[in-house]
């Protein structure tokens, strides 16, 4: 029986799809596989259901002689060496669309948590410090009518824009490398990055990690942002130079940061923990029951489709492998 490796526990509906046709190996530990564990376990498998945190490079692919598909459990694709996968005729798929709304909602939750200091107020109340209504307690920022700048307005960014425009009457601007055809639908206007950073009361990063976005926000970019802005990152940690972010948050207590993603996850810069003006989440953008089940279904169905000689859905490596089969 062919084997499938699932690198973290996923919702059971995914495993159900695979279990009759494959020997399914699941990493049941509450940690990512190390590089050597991943390499060893990948050696004789037909498919890998991988997390966006699993780095699958040319070396791993070289030794994975039976591998036919890497089905990423997520929309991000920066964890896999795509050209090596294509060269080795390994399908690489992801799970776009189904996680758009959940991730956008989480992004907007972070904006609201930062604006109204919700985690700090929760800790305060639990600590028994609530002594009655206080007119100057936990004064926050109001979003209504303010300016939101979206760095990377694709599917997720546009869903955030829609919430901001229709729900909070925010003035929405965005920066993409190319003009988005979604902009009119969500009331957003494309501007240069410098303008966005200078003018926005809230900046949210929804871009993928790629050659152009890696460390695109550094010292200079943080210096352009308002000292009392809200800065949220739900894209990828490596888009931001963490050192510059920390310096900005240290020097301006009114600058509030909300993070779902980090450089070098899960070993993020521990100085972030010392910032009271920072809300930190453990990369849970798409974490709703509904979305995670849908992601499991797509990823596992894709493995099954390849086994049955069909073309999987959401092929990242150009569909060349599908075309080659026709
Ligand atoms: P998408 O539809 O492909 O949108 C990406 C957008 O970013 C596009 O509009 C793209 O426009 C823009 N972009 C790409 N490179 C850029 C750059 N260098 N500078 C500025 N804009 C850039 O992807 P999506 O489905 O919205 O997902 C976006 C990302 O969110 C994923 O790749 C992933 O990293 C992240 N994500 C995080 C979580 C989480 O749990 N926190 C969950 C899901 C996704 P141009 O190509 O025109 O620049």
């Amino acid at each position: 029986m062919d084997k499938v490796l699932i690198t973290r526990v996923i919702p059971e509906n995914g495993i159900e799809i695979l279990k009759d046709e494959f020997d399914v190996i699941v990493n049941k530990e509450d940690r990512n596989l190390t590089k050597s564990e991943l390499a060893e376990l990948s050696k004789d498998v037909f498919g890998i259901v991988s997390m966006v945190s699993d780095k699958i490079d040319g070396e791993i692919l070289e030794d994975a002689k039976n591998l036919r598909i890497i089905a990423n459990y997520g929309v991000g694709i920066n964890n896999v060496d795509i050209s090596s996968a294509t060269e080795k005729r390994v399908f690489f798929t992801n799970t776009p669309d189904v996680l758009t709304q959940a991730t956008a909602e989480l992004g907007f939750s972070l904006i609201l948590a930062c604006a109204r200091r919700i985690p700090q107020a929760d800790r305060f109340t639990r600590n028994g410090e609530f002594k009655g209504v206080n007119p100057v307690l936990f004064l926050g920022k109001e979003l209504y009518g303010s300016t939101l700048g979206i760095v990377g307005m694709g599917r997720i960014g546009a869903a955030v824009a829609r919430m901001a425009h229709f729900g909070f009457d925010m003035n929405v601007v965005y920066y993409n490398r190319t003009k988005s055809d979604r902009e009119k639908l969500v009331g957003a206007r494309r501007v240069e990055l410098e303008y966005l950073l200078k003018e926005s009361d809230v900046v949210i990063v929804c871009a993928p990690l790629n050659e152009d976005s890696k460390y695109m926000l550094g010292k200079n970019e943080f210096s352009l942002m308002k000292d009392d802005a809200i800065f949220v990152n739900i894209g990828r940690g490596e888009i931001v130079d963490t050192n510059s972010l920390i310096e900005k948050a240290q020097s301006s207590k009114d600058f509030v940061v909300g993070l779902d993603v980090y450089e070098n996850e899960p070993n993020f810069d521990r100085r972030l923990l010392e910032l009271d003006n920072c809300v930190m989440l453990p990369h849970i953008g798409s974490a709703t029951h509904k979305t995670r089940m849908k992601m499991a279904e797509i990823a596992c169905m894709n493995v099954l489709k390849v086994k049955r000689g069909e073309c999987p859905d959401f092929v990242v490596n150009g569909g060349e492998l599908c075309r080659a089969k026709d």
Side-chain angles (χ1 to χ4, degrees):
M1 216 178 203
D2 280 326
K3 292 181 187 169
V4 174
L5 169 65
I6 305 182
T7 66
R8 294 292 295 241
V9 173
I10 61 169
E12 199 54 36
N13 65 308
I15 295 163
E16 285 293 318
I17 289 168
L18 296 171
K19 74 172 201 283
D20 290 343
E21 302 211 27
F22 292 98
D23 179 6
V24 181
I25 306 158
V26 182
N27 167 29
K28 296 211 166 105
E29 293 196 38
D30 186 17
R31 63 169 179 84
N32 296 341
L33 294 172
T34 63
K35 185 175 177 191
S36 59
E37 287 170 335
L38 185 58
E40 191 53 40
L41 287 166
S42 302
K43 268 185 185 154
D44 61 347
V45 297
F46 176 91
I48 304 176
V49 175
S50 49
M51 304 302 119
V52 293
S53 45
D54 295 319
K55 301 242 173 311
I56 303 182
D57 57 17
E59 228 177 289
I60 290 182
L61 284 161
E62 186 60 45
D63 289 346
K65 303 288 185 216
N66 294 336
L67 190 64
R68 295 294 322 285
I69 172 164
I70 301 164
N72 235 20
Y73 190 81
V75 67
I77 54 172
N78 54 289
N79 58 310
V80 170
D81 180 339
I82 300 174
S83 54
S84 288
T86 310
E87 198 183 300
K88 305 268 175 242
R89 310 192 63 68
V90 174
F91 283 103
F92 177 36
T93 63
N94 66 347
T95 63
D97 301 327
V98 292
L99 46 61
T100 296
Q101 191 62 21
T103 310
E105 286 180 15
L106 193 277
F108 218 90
S109 306
L110 263 177
I111 294 174
L112 287 164
C114 289
R116 300 304 299 272
R117 306 174 66 193
I118 288 173
Q120 295 88 339
D122 175 77
R123 286 196 291 272
F124 177 90
T125 311
R126 285 169 195 279
N127 284 344
E129 293 176 67
F130 178 35
K131 305 275 175 4
V133 174
N134 175 346
V136 290
L137 184 63
F138 284 112
L139 303 184
K141 302 171 200 289
E142 215 154 297
L143 299 179
Y144 187 84
S146 64
T147 297
L148 171 69
I150 301 175
V151 179
M153 198 184 74
R155 288 167 289 230
I156 295 169
V160 171
R162 202 179 303 116
M163 291 172 204
H165 175 67
F166 294 107
F168 291 82
D169 213 3
M170 291 176 89
N171 167 37
V172 183
V173 294
Y174 74 95
Y175 170 72
N176 274 5
R177 293 168 302 179
T178 54
K179 195 173 158 95
S180 163
D181 50 17
R182 296 178 174 94
E183 62 173 35
K184 285 206 173 63
L185 296 172
V186 296
R189 179 167 61 92
R190 181 165 174 256
V191 295
E192 287 308 316
L193 182 60
E194 187 174 323
Y195 177 93
L196 181 151
L197 299 173
K198 277 186 183 160
E199 298 299 322
S200 298
D201 302 296
V202 181
V203 174
I204 183 165
V205 179
C206 304
L209 179 63
N210 55 35
E211 275 177 16
D212 293 332
S213 66
K214 193 164 190 182
Y215 298 125
M216 77 190 288
L217 302 178
K219 199 175 177 60
N220 175 47
E221 288 70 27
F222 282 107
S223 75
L224 297 172
M225 288 182 218
K226 295 181 181 179
D227 284 341
D228 61 351
I230 292 170
F231 175 79
V232 168
N233 188 3
I234 59 166
R236 280 290 177 268
E238 287 78 5
I239 294 172
V240 174
D241 171 37
T242 309
N243 208 39
S244 305
L245 170 70
I246 291 173
E247 278 174 13
K248 176 82 176 185
Q250 281 172 337
S251 66
S252 174
K253 297 294 169 209
D254 291 331
F255 186 80
V256 190
V257 178
L259 301 174
D260 186 43
V261 291
Y262 306 83
E263 247 188 288
N264 197 27
E265 291 178 16
N267 303 315
F268 59 83
D269 192 321
R270 271 12 198 196
R271 287 176 299 164
L272 290 166
L273 298 171
E274 290 156 25
L275 296 170
D276 189 48
N277 47 344
C278 182
V279 180
M280 300 173 68
L281 302 180
H283 201 148
I284 53 168
S286 63
T288 66
H289 290 292
K290 183 176 156 191
T291 290
R292 289 284 166 91
M293 284 177 70
K294 205 69 198 142
M295 290 162 68
E297 183 187 326
I298 292 170
C300 294
M301 271 311 295
N302 276 344
V303 177
L304 195 58
K305 281 187 174 186
V306 174
K307 169 84 173 166
R308 291 176 175 168
E310 297 166 24
C311 188
D313 295 325
F314 308 117
V315 180
V316 175
N317 43 357
E320 288 161 40
L321 299 172
C322 289
R323 281 195 290 278
K325 280 168 48 53
D326 294 340

